[in-house]
Amino acid sequence: MIMNNQKENIPNHVAIIMDGNGRWAQKQEKPRKMGHEEGMEAIRRVTMQASKRGVKVLTLYAFSTENWKRPPQEVHFLMQLPIRFFDRFVPELQKNNVKVNMIGFEEKVPKSTKKAISKAMDQTKNNTGMTLNFAFNYGGRAEIVKATQALCEKVLKNELTSTDITPEHIEEHLFTHSLTPYQDVDLLIRSSGEKRLSNFLLWQNAYSEFYFTDLLWPDFNAKIFDEALFEYQKRQRRYGAL
Ligand SMILES: Cc1cc(N2CCCCCC2)n2ncc(-c3ccc(F)cc3)c2n1
């Protein structure tokens, strides 16, 4: 139960690793694709609940740079999901003043998928409510390498000296710079019992609280989301200080 008198202790940025879709389908003796379909419904449920609770940014790990290793037919199916997601949910996102954002690399992503994502970002760009941020073709180490390369370029052009480089310089070159001032994750949630970070927002998760649930993503719902918020509210946060 959310302690409403602590409304001010709602995490600004919640990030979710949405695991368990394939296992869910297996348990239901349904095709794997049904797990992904049901997983999109879970995204809708959690997006509405996070927006209602006053979360500023909700980041969802939809496709990692490592996922390209999956069978080609599964990758092709996954690349269609953003198109289907927005076809189905943009009206409800608009109604709830939700703004769409995407972080990740454009390389290898089909044009039709990129077009659907850009269209949804454009349609919702003036919304002032929660940002629904999809990590798509995203990898934490690749993101830090990209930032490092950009800063090396600046040093080589004498626009910067190496000793002047600060954490802020790195953050300016991460995908999440567009989420300022909420680029750091406050609460990371991972479903299906896995207890790993899996190359997700490595820099931005430096001080985040972790909440793990054995529930499979398609079974995730508003009640479990509130339980994660309640757990967050109960924890004292020290940022390394006493
Ligand atoms: C690859 C993939 C898989 C995917 N699943 C369904 C949800 C469970 C997790 C895995 C499968 N979903 N669900 C929504 C998207 C998406 C991605 C980008 C975007 F801008 C809008 C929606 C998505 N993308």
Side-chain angles (χ1 to χ4, degrees):
M1 178 62 191
I2 288 287
M3 295 187 265
N4 281 319
N5 59 333
Q6 293 194 26
K7 182 142 177 49
E8 70 288 349
N9 197 9
I10 294 290
N12 287 316
H13 186 168
V14 177
I16 303 180
I17 303 177
M18 309 181 285
D19 259 337
N21 303 282
R23 239 182 297 165
W24 182 90
Q26 215 171 14
K27 268 175 72 176
Q28 306 277 335
E29 294 180 1
K30 290 182 178 168
R32 198 175 167 77
K33 291 180 179 180
M34 284 304 290
H36 295 328
E37 285 291 337
E38 203 48 46
M40 284 200 282
E41 274 302 319
I43 289 179
R44 187 187 59 76
R45 292 193 290 270
V46 172
T47 299
M48 294 304 125
Q49 190 66 9
S51 174
K52 177 182 162 189
R53 290 297 186 205
V55 170
K56 300 286 193 304
V57 178
L58 176 66
T59 297
L60 304 175
Y61 205 2
F63 191 87
S64 82
T65 42
E66 284 81 29
N67 287 151
W68 294 108
K69 296 170 193 155
R70 291 193 179 181
Q73 64 274 24
E74 179 167 353
V75 170
H76 175 75
F77 173 80
L78 292 171
M79 285 296 128
Q80 306 309 306
L81 289 182
I83 300 167
R84 293 162 66 171
F85 180 87
F86 288 129
D87 280 348
R88 203 182 303 173
F89 297 124
V90 161
E92 191 169 3
L93 296 176
Q94 292 286 42
K95 207 168 69 180
N96 289 273
N97 195 23
V98 171
K99 181 178 181 177
V100 170
N101 192 66
M102 197 274 280
I103 58 171
F105 295 91
E106 296 206 8
E107 290 80 10
K108 297 168 71 178
V109 176
K111 264 201 202 107
S112 56
T113 306
K114 284 190 283 192
K115 192 167 161 226
I117 294 171
S118 305
K119 183 181 170 198
M121 288 173 72
D122 188 54
Q123 285 173 301
T124 61
K125 65 177 183 275
N126 296 322
N127 292 347
T128 56
M130 185 182 79
T131 295
L132 177 58
N133 181 45
F134 286 95
F136 189 74
N137 194 21
Y138 172 86
R141 287 185 171 181
E143 179 186 33
I144 292 171
V145 166
K146 181 178 76 72
T148 306
Q149 289 166 339
L151 289 170
C152 285
E153 284 302 314
K154 289 192 171 175
V155 170
L156 289 172
K157 290 177 193 164
N158 294 317
E159 293 168 6
L160 196 63
T161 61
S162 58
T163 48
D164 286 341
I165 292 176
T166 64
E168 288 70 29
H169 283 105
I170 303 275
E171 288 168 351
E172 278 167 31
H173 292 85
L174 299 178
F175 289 118
T176 44
H177 184 56
S178 61
L179 301 173
T180 302
Y182 306 119
Q183 61 269 56
D184 280 351
V185 176
D186 299 293
L187 173 61
L188 176 79
I189 297 171
R190 183 162 190 166
S191 57
S192 92
E194 303 296 347
K195 293 182 171 63
R196 298 187 299 275
L197 199 44
S198 297
N199 197 25
F200 185 44
L201 297 174
L202 298 178
W203 179 278
Q204 302 84 340
N205 270 310
Y207 288 99
S208 49
E209 298 287 343
F210 287 9
Y211 179 87
F212 299 112
T213 173
D214 289 338
L215 263 186
L216 302 176
W217 178 250
D219 291 327
F220 206 96
N221 55 42
K223 180 174 175 293
I224 304 300
F225 185 78
D226 273 356
E227 279 179 22
L229 292 191
F230 182 47
E231 181 59 31
Y232 175 86
Q233 288 181 328
K234 286 191 297 182
R235 295 185 196 174
Q236 294 305 311
R237 306 188 69 208
R238 293 179 297 280
Y239 292 96
L242 288 177

